[in-house]
Amino acid sequence: MKQLLLIFIGGGAGSVLRYLVGKLLNNSQTGIPYGTFVANILGSLLIGLILGFAAKNEALTQNHTLLLATGFCGGFTTFSSFAYENHVFLKAGDFTTFAIYTIASFIIGFLAVFGGIFLTKFL
């Protein structure tokens, strides 16, 4: 039960922060979802850092990992918004933005996870 509560609290905090980032950065004039992009990339970096620290000398407990990685990062990042925004680009015939957004999200997201894990070796 404690583990579920930790995930719930982390997920709620991550979701609220994602909403605020989206409100601040999403551009309604161009339709480019900068907020979702930033949340997904930052979340990828964070999960790399968190899991890197967890693996390094067991620096984090399982409960810390559940709160931060599963809860917070799970609530902060959003594949469903990413998928919907790509649907909007395709429906509008904006294939260039669709391709750039999709490719950049995957490549930079993966690099952020790997970068976060790599950084924990020096921290």
Side-chain angles (χ1 to χ4, degrees):
M1 188 63 152
K2 178 182 178 182
Q3 294 173 329
L4 294 177
L5 183 60
L6 289 169
I7 294 167
F8 176 76
I9 291 168
S15 295
V16 169
L17 185 57
R18 180 184 72 227
Y19 171 78
L20 294 173
V21 169
K23 290 294 273 184
L24 180 66
L25 297 178
N26 283 349
N27 190 327
S28 60
Q29 292 175 349
T30 65
I32 298 175
Y34 295 114
T36 303
F37 181 77
V38 167
N40 285 337
I41 300 308
L42 281 177
S44 295
L45 177 62
L46 281 172
I47 204 165
L49 288 167
I50 292 162
L51 296 178
F53 277 124
K56 180 182 178 181
N57 302 324
E58 299 179 17
L60 297 175
T61 67
Q62 180 184 12
N63 285 340
H64 289 126
T65 304
L66 287 172
L67 173 74
L68 299 171
T70 305
F72 183 81
C73 290
F76 185 59
T77 59
T78 173
F79 187 78
S80 57
S81 293
F82 169 75
Y84 174 74
E85 290 156 354
N86 276 308
H87 164 77
V88 171
F89 290 139
L90 290 174
K91 188 175 177 182
D94 192 353
F95 300 110
T96 302
T97 303
F98 164 77
I100 292 169
Y101 182 51
T102 301
I103 293 168
S105 293
F106 281 118
I107 291 173
I108 297 171
F110 283 119
L111 290 174
V113 169
F114 297 137
I117 292 169
F118 178 76
L119 285 174
T120 62
K121 294 178 182 182
F122 304 103
L123 301 173

